[in-house]
């Protein structure tokens, strides 16, 4: 394992990154606005699982492919962008009754989980983040193999991000909880959350890195 001298700056850096508003935070907030607290929870869980997939890929060395194959990176980025825009359009076109907003059906929760996991997996920036950030805190001279250090640090980082997402769920739920659950309010929330997802998709598509 990395030494305490390495773990302390790692926790500080990881916490800073976790609290910076990014796609995961905005996505979780959008899902909470549209589907309620339970929907937000499934979104955060899906993002968490998607992050674990990236950690496993990075630990196995698969992520290094994207540093040597720009076309693969671009293809994944475009797929992720299109998927986000498609989810945003579907959210805007959704028709939930007012009484269903805070209580997401089981089938809908599963869909939110799957969509969230795919959004995270199809985001190449997450891959690049892990292969650029984690290696700075591993210790080649440690008794544990590098891949195991990669996994341990990645899981710790992923948990920090998930805890922040959970906080976003409660904060967003508290804000929209004071709003009247009318059809008009739901329509506005669907448009805001759907537009946020489409905006994330467009930003992902046009970003240079």
């Amino acid at each position: 394992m990395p030494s305490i001298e390495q773990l302390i700056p790692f926790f500080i850096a990881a916490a800073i990154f976790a609290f910076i508003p990014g796609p995961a935070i905005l996505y979780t907030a959008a899902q909470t606005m549209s589907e309620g607290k339970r929907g937000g929870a499934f979104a955060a869980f899906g993002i968490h699982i998607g992050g674990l997939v990236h950690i496993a890929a990075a630990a196995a060395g698969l992520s290094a492919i994207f540093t040597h194959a720009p076309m693969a990176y671009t293809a994944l980025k475009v797929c992720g962008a299109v998927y986000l825009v498609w989810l945003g359009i579907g959210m805007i076109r959704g028709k939930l009754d007012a009484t269903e907003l805070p209580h997401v059906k089981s089938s809908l929760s599963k869909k939110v989980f799957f969509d969230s996991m795919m959004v995270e997996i199809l985001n190449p920036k997450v891959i690049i983040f892990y292969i650029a950030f984690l290696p700075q805190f591993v210790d080649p001279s440690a008794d544990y193999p590098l891949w195991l250090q990669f996994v341990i640090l990645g899981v710790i980082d992923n948990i920090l991000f998930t805890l922040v997402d959970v906080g976003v769920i409660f904060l967003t739920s508290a804000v929209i909880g004071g709003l009247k659950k009318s059809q008009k309010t739901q329509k506005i929330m669907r448009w805001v959350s759907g537009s946020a997802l489409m905006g994330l998709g467009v930003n992902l598509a046009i970003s240079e890195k």
Side-chain angles (χ1 to χ4, degrees):
M1 282 292 294
S3 64
I4 296 297
E5 289 75 13
Q6 289 176 299
L7 285 177
I8 292 177
F10 167 75
F11 273 110
I12 294 175
I16 291 174
F17 278 117
F19 280 97
I20 295 177
I25 289 179
L26 296 177
Y27 181 86
T28 302
Q31 288 288 4
T32 304
M33 289 179 63
S34 177
E35 316 296 354
K37 189 183 297 183
R38 185 179 178 184
F42 273 88
F45 185 52
I47 292 174
H48 177 78
I49 298 301
L52 293 180
V53 172
H54 283 305
I55 293 169
L62 299 180
S63 298
I65 296 175
F66 291 95
T67 62
H68 302 289
M71 289 300 294
Y73 175 89
T74 301
L76 187 62
K77 183 173 72 170
V78 171
C79 288
V82 172
Y83 195 67
L84 273 171
V85 172
W86 179 75
L87 289 178
I89 294 174
M91 188 173 288
I92 291 175
R93 296 178 60 186
K95 294 182 179 180
L96 282 177
D97 293 333
T99 56
E100 292 181 352
L101 184 58
H103 305 287
V104 183
K105 294 180 179 179
S106 178
S107 59
L108 182 56
S109 297
K110 292 178 181 178
K111 183 179 185 302
V112 170
F113 166 76
F114 177 78
D115 288 343
S116 304
M117 182 177 64
M118 292 306 300
V119 165
E120 185 74 353
I121 292 176
L122 292 174
N123 186 356
K125 290 186 177 181
V126 179
I127 302 174
I128 300 303
F129 170 79
Y130 279 122
I131 64 176
F133 178 66
L134 295 184
Q136 302 178 49
F137 301 96
V138 298
D139 184 4
S141 63
D143 294 332
Y144 295 92
L146 289 178
W147 69 266
L148 182 57
Q149 295 183 56
F150 229 90
V151 169
I152 293 174
L153 292 176
V155 169
I156 293 174
D157 185 71
N158 199 20
I159 291 175
L160 287 175
F161 275 82
T162 301
L163 290 176
V164 172
D165 289 341
V166 171
V168 170
I169 294 171
F170 284 99
L171 179 61
T172 304
S173 179
V175 172
I176 67 173
L179 300 176
K180 184 179 179 181
K181 301 301 189 296
S182 64
Q183 293 291 339
K184 183 177 180 180
T185 300
Q186 289 184 57
K187 185 176 181 180
I188 292 175
M189 287 193 294
R190 286 201 304 270
W191 271 92
V192 171
S193 54
S195 298
L197 295 189
M198 289 190 289
L200 289 173
V202 172
N203 180 69
L204 179 60
I206 64 177
S207 61
E208 296 182 358
K209 293 183 179 181

